[in-house]
């Protein structure tokens, strides 16, 4: 089986190298030799970490008749979508690690692929076979909920904030030095990377068709040391969670920092690692853990897709047969989300303030589950109040936060973190 | 697709019920309806928790032409092997949850199955899709090591001993009351159940052909409260581990209680849950967590196999193409295992004893990594010594234990636990 690698960066080089290094076992498992016959790059002068023939002429490679599978590792959205569409129209198989392209075009690609193999295991959670587990391993289940830690950069930062009581900015800087965060980290710490992956998982579980702009995406940059202290005190950890959940026939898809009880297995996914808990109606909870990024780990998933293609496996791209009606559930509007909430308020430390706040909450249907106020520093005329609520409606919480912000005794903009589990 | 269920106990009933309850989504994913058309039972008078037609005549069911897949849930080894062989010879697909049959006959069955679909996801770790993850998801990797918590009963007992500082006998009794342990718990707490599952995983990873009697199997019944205290003090937990590991071109397969550092993700698999860490040369560590038993969880895996068959997937049974030379590695003899060890010694508390013991250890190539002696009770003339060693040879450790046992100052038989990670 001849494969072309479109984009020979870290992952592309690893794919070529592993196909060579593990040729023995890959051939025995696939039933044939898998040959990387050409790589397509933009800059032929740049040094690459593998020794396959290279070209900068992608059209000549797409035109070749001797290539069985194209591995798309170009990055971007519209350009790879154009290239992949062209390849699928020629009925040639495609394997991709491109989550952004799938976040926008997965249903277009499903239509184009129909009977042509299309693998994308590497697009979610790097080396973890979560697409396979969800689409095939748990195929008997109605999925109740997916809770994923899908972004290693954010998880590294939050883990280090918790373990060393460090500040967000300091840990981010360290992550950048170690290569765990980009110079511009917005895509990772802003929740967008996790959101792309969540949309893919949401399609397999529920057939939802949303795009990134349709779902709730909040990043971690406003999580403070005070939130971390509260979490530790109340036996929670804070994680950036990607959540897909079926509620009253609609689907919630949301990415945001969340408090989760520290005994939950997903709370134990630390550092740059990824983890995904899946709740099925038959199986109950199962959890998948592993490296979410890195050349070799991502290449492991790319090659697993190649071996699946070589074996002649026929899993429908998004888990549903094209002949079947998709589950196609609608997205739940963000304001209709119901969960528990944590609120942090910076307020004047004087008589009557707490009564005003609790009155305002109760008038707006927020019921308090726990409350913490620590003795203030003597030099400080403000104090911080921490609340958690019983299950509440997102719109009620937002209204309360808006009202509180306008109260004269409230110093900073109130901050909220959703609680999960 | 018509299926027959051979053995309609907890799992069989759950299979029938889920096929009915989740018919919508299963059909959409499989591309066809999956109908449980008949169940075979020994006792027609016993009440069952599902409403499929039943018979006690297995031969009439095997003779039917309208059945596409047979689900073997009979239990036992030779009788189901005989039945399954008969079915495979008729080129009819089989799905089984029978780990004992596979521990003894997996290669015989592979030969018989050749092109006939044969699913056994449910045989290892219940609802966790570990067969699929290892055989398909990680197929690009040379597997370096598998560390599994594969027996829920043992894990429940050890978890409770650690959490509540309880004694083995007390927790076992509680587990029996809760239905987590059988009246005769030997198969679970003796490590045999985990060993059956380990042999299956070992075949997928390494093509090893051992049977249960060829590998090291130790249970948990001699793990004492003192071992638990030591573990807690030194940041370990004690788990019954099933380990498959490639060492110098041979394969270690072993089941025994082990100390593992508490920060390891597999150390966090608690209660009746199962977990399997797999180390691949490309992916690094990935871990799979979920329920290892229970009717619905096990049925989830059985039905996933049915859907795979309906989709026309073609994964070679043990992961290697029949046309390929298997990896077929040899088992490492038990005495050649090298790992770290924990030793507990009950000895007379007098001058010179420790010197004698450490001399004896050093003469036999055991190098001490850590040592603990707690102040003895005033009423007691004996004291307990705890050692951990650097990496040592199993045969050296056993020799030392044999020698110590004959020393006059040693009161009880020395006890050893291997250390992992």
């Amino acid at each position: 089986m001849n494969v072309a690698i479109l984009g020979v960066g870290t992952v592309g080089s690893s794919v070529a190298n592993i196909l060579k290094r593990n040729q023995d076992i890959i051939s025995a498992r696939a039933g044939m030799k898998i040959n990387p016959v050409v790589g397509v790059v933009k800059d032929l002068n740049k040094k690459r970490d593998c020794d396959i023939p290279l070209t900068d002429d992608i059209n000549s490679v797409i035109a070749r008749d001797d290539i069985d599978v194209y591995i798309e590792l170009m990055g971007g959205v519209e350009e790879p979508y154009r290239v992949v569409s062209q390849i699928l129209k020629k009925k040639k198989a495609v394997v991709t690690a491109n989550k952004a392209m799938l976040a926008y075009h997965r249903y277009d690609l499903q239509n184009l692929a129909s009977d042509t193999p299309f693998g994308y295991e590497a697009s979610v959670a790097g080396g973890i076979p979560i697409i396979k587990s969800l689409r095939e391993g748990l195929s008997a289940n109605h999925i109740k909920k997916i809770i994923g830690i899908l972004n290693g950069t954010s998880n590294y930062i939050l883990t280090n904030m918790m373990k060393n009581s460090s500040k967000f900015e300091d840990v981010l800087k360290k992550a950048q030095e170690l290569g765990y965060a980009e110079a511009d980290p917005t895509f990772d710490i802003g929740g967008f990377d996790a959101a792309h992956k969540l949309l893919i998982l949401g399609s397999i579980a529920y057939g939802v068709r949303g795009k990134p702009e349709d779902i709730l995406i909040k990043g971690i940059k406003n999580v403070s040391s005070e939130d971390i202290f509260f979490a530790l005190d109340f036996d929670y950890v804070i994680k950036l969670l990607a959540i897909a959940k079926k509620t009253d026939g609609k689907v919630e898809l949301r990415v945001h920092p969340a408090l989760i009880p520290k005994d939950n297995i997903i709370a134990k996914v630390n550092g740059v690692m990824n983890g995904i808990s899946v709740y099925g109606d038959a199986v109950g909870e199962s959890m998948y853990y592993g490296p979410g990024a890195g050349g070799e780990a991502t290449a492991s998933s790319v090659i697993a897709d190649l071996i699946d293609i070589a074996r002649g496996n026929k899993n429908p791209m998004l888990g549903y047969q094209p002949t079947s009606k998709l589950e196609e559930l609608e997205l739940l509007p963000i304001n209709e989300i119901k969960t528990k909430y944590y609120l942090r308020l910076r307020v004047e430390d004087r008589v009557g303030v707490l009564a005003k706040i609790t009155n305002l909450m109760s008038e707006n249907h927020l019921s308090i589950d726990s409350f913490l106020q620590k003795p203030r520093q003597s030099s400080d005329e403000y104090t911080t109040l921490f609340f958690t609520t019983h299950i509440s409606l997102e719109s009620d919480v937002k209204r309360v936060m808006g009202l509180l912000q306008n109260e004269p005794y409230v110093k900073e903009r109130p901050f909220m973190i959703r609680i999960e589990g």
Side-chain angles (χ1 to χ4, degrees), chain A residues 110 114 118 120 135-136 314-322:
Chain A
Q110 180 186 244
S114 62
F118 185 95
Y120 58 102
R135 187 179 61 179
E136 304 159 39
K314 289 173 187 160
N315 293 294
M317 179 185 152
L318 295 170
Y320 298 85
Q321 298 295 340

Side-chain angles (χ1 to χ4, degrees), chain A residues 276-340:
Chain A
I276 306 105
S277 265
V278 184
Y279 297 76
D281 69 336
V283 72
E285 182 182 9
S286 60
M287 200 277 282
Y288 308 84
Y289 168 93
E296 289 253 321
T298 308
S300 167
S301 286
V302 168
I303 297 173
D305 279 344
L306 295 177
I307 294 173
D308 255 9
I309 293 170
R311 285 173 172 171
N313 285 338
K314 289 173 187 160
N315 293 294
M317 179 185 152
L318 295 170
Y320 298 85
Q321 298 295 340
T323 51
S324 311
K325 208 171 126 308
L326 290 182
E327 198 168 275
E328 275 197 54
L329 296 174
E330 268 178 55
L331 283 172
L332 186 80
I334 290 162
N335 279 331
E336 293 177 24
I337 291 169
K338 280 182 195 158
T339 186
K340 296 180 180 181

Side-chain angles (χ1 to χ4, degrees), chain A residues 233-250:
Chain A
D233 253 17
F234 281 72
D235 288 335
Y236 287 110
V237 297
I238 301 181
K239 296 286 183 191
L240 179 68
L241 295 188
I243 300 171
K245 192 190 281 185
K246 195 159 149 184
T247 310
D248 301 331
K250 293 188 179 174

Side-chain angles (χ1 to χ4, degrees), chain A residues 190-293:
Chain A
F192 304 102
D193 170 76
H196 288 172
K197 296 165 181 168
L198 179 65
L199 285 162
I200 297 170
L201 298 181
S203 283
I204 300 172
Y206 303 117
V208 278
R209 284 173 181 261
K211 291 192 164 61
E213 46 271 29
D214 304 324
I215 68 172
L216 174 67
I217 307 175
K218 296 278 177 201
I220 61 169
K221 74 165 190 270
N222 292 323
V223 175
S224 76
S225 305
E226 284 182 302
D227 304 323
I228 300 285
F229 289 132
F230 175 88
L232 291 171
D233 253 17
F234 281 72
D235 288 335
Y236 287 110
V237 297
I238 301 181
K239 296 286 183 191
L240 179 68
L241 295 188
I243 300 171
K245 192 190 281 185
K246 195 159 149 184
T247 310
D248 301 331
K250 293 188 179 174
V251 175
E252 299 174 39
L253 292 184
R254 45 192 168 100
V255 174
H256 54 71
L259 290 159
I260 39 172
K262 74 177 168 61
D263 281 343
N264 195 311
I265 187 85
I266 197 84
K268 296 167 183 174
V269 175
N270 287 326
V272 294
M273 300 303 267
N274 281 196
I276 306 105
S277 265
V278 184
Y279 297 76
D281 69 336
V283 72
E285 182 182 9
S286 60
M287 200 277 282
Y288 308 84
Y289 168 93

Side-chain angles (χ1 to χ4, degrees), chain A residues 349-366:
Chain A
D349 189 11
R350 60 174 170 80
V351 172
V353 163
L354 184 57
K356 285 185 183 171
I357 293 169
T358 52
N359 276 334
L360 191 149
M361 285 184 174
S362 98
E363 284 162 13
N364 288 281
H365 322 295
L366 284 204

Side-chain angles (χ1 to χ4, degrees), chain A residues 377-397:
Chain A
Q377 309 292 323
S378 55
S379 60
D380 195 351
E381 60 180 308
Y382 292 93
T383 189
T384 307
L385 308 181
F386 305 90
F387 299 87
T388 65
T389 73
H390 289 289
I391 287 184
S392 308
L393 193 63
E394 177 97 2
S395 56
D396 286 337
V397 175

Side-chain angles (χ1 to χ4, degrees), chain A residues 4-33:
Chain A
I5 302 176
L6 313 181
V8 188
T10 316
V11 176
S13 302
S14 294
V15 169
N17 290 333
I18 296 170
L19 283 174
K20 191 171 175 181
R21 185 178 85 218
N22 289 0
Q23 192 196 303
D24 54 346
I25 205 153
I26 290 171
S27 299
R29 288 173 177 156
M32 61 187 75
K33 190 157 173 280

